[in-house]
Amino acid sequence: MAKQKWNDLSGGQKGAIIAAAAVDAGLRVWAGRDLATRPKDEVNGPKWLWGTGLSLVNSMGLLPGLYLVFGRRRTALD
């Protein structure tokens, strides 16, 4: 499959890409803020590893989603 240039994409394709990028950015901000403010004993795994992954790995929202579902320990308030 040949790469398409941005100008060759339809309006719907451009919109889908922008929407996916916005969702990914929102999830990254949410997960990063949660990780930064959560005590290390409430995080499953090392905080530095989650932080590095959230900062460097482009996972199309998968890694932030994994952190939000599996990376946080449940507290009495959750």
Side-chain angles (χ1 to χ4, degrees), residues 1-14 17:
M1 181 176 202
K3 288 186 178 181
Q4 291 184 333
K5 294 184 179 180
W6 182 256
N7 291 333
D8 295 335
L9 298 176
S10 70
Q13 290 171 320
K14 289 177 183 178
I17 291 169

Side-chain angles (χ1 to χ4, degrees), residues 2-78:
K3 288 186 178 181
Q4 291 184 333
K5 294 184 179 180
W6 182 256
N7 291 333
D8 295 335
L9 298 176
S10 70
Q13 290 171 320
K14 289 177 183 178
I17 291 169
I18 291 170
V23 169
D24 179 56
L27 284 172
R28 284 179 185 276
V29 169
W30 179 16
R33 183 171 174 97
D34 182 86
L35 181 64
T37 59
R38 189 171 290 270
K40 68 179 182 179
D41 60 329
E42 293 181 11
V43 176
N44 291 322
K47 283 183 75 166
W48 69 266
L49 188 58
W50 280 112
T52 301
L54 290 170
S55 300
L56 299 178
V57 176
N58 183 4
S59 62
M60 299 281 292
L62 183 62
L63 190 59
L66 287 173
Y67 166 75
L68 291 168
V69 174
F70 298 111
R72 304 182 297 170
R73 291 196 178 132
R74 297 288 178 207
T75 63
L77 300 176
D78 286 347

